[in-house]
Amino acid sequence: MTELGPTELGSAIEPEVTRFVPFLKWAGGKRWLVTSHAHLLPKTFNTYIEPFVGAGSVYFHLQPDRALLGDANSELIATYKAIQSDWQGLVNSLKYRERRHREDADTYYYWLRGQAPEELTQRASRLIYLNRTCFNGIYRVNREGQFNVPRGTKNKVLIETDDFAGMSRLLQGAELLAGDFEDLVDRAEDGDLVFADPPYTVLHNYNGFLKYNEILFSWADQQRLAQALQRAARRGAQVFCTNANHQSVRSLYDQPEFKLEVVSRYSHISASSASRKYFEELIIRANI
């Protein structure tokens, strides 16, 4: 990775700086946003706040000097903390897991899937290993919080785009918190940027994927998020939220503080390439 030159506090980096490729495949990831609609993202801001960090596509694209990153998934936040504090130990653990996987993929995958390590680096390498070798890169847990996706066909645990050393340097400027989104959004102040990408739950929708999201993120949570973002906008924070383009969601943000825009993206969430298609998404920005 090239050396970073001086940047404006919290601002997006210059185009010539090497870009990171997110290390996870995550449902609802925003690679499409930074690929096709990066021009919509703010260029300057103070602290970057992302309460649903997921694979971190926007964070790794903007590379802010100061960040507050959160997620309800404690295993995910533990993974970011491991990269932040001991990326070399993480790489060594992933190398070990790759050797074990090559020896007997089925036995090792299902054994590790049933484990719950407590040490930070081991938790992180388990999540990355499962994400890269499970079916279709899906992260899904049952009602007891246990990862339950079967093994897929991919066998590579370390890949060419991995830059854990560079990510670790970037994450030195980040505070990482596992927990509810509202606590993070409420910390946004004048000049900060809040990027919110919640699970796409809509009112009165019986689509299977969105019904699953309702378990993770209820309609009441959608309402709570809209109210928290409205408060942040009133404090002078820049708000950028992606959400489902559905009338029930649009009605939540039909407020003077926001402007709405519809964009298209290509969906990769399907086992069959024939059933993957373009979807409309809603972008909500602070009207400042």
Side-chain angles (χ1 to χ4, degrees), residues 133-135 151-155:
T133 58
C134 74
F135 175 73
R151 186 173 79 86
T153 57
K154 294 183 178 180
N155 296 313

Side-chain angles (χ1 to χ4, degrees), residues 25-41:
K25 183 178 180 182
W26 211 253
K30 287 296 169 285
R31 295 192 193 192
W32 65 267
L33 179 65
V34 300
T35 299
S36 303
H37 303 288
H39 64 283
L40 299 176
L41 293 164

Side-chain angles (χ1 to χ4, degrees), residues 1 19-24 31 83 87 90-91 94-95 98 128 132 156-167:
M1 181 177 173
R19 296 293 184 184
F20 293 115
V21 176
F23 62 94
L24 293 174
R31 295 192 193 192
I83 296 171
W87 69 269
L90 174 62
V91 169
L94 289 171
K95 288 179 179 177
E98 189 166 64
I128 295 172
R132 292 180 173 181
K156 295 191 74 172
V157 178
L158 283 164
I159 56 181
E160 293 78 5
T161 57
D162 286 337
D163 184 3
F164 292 117
M167 290 180 178

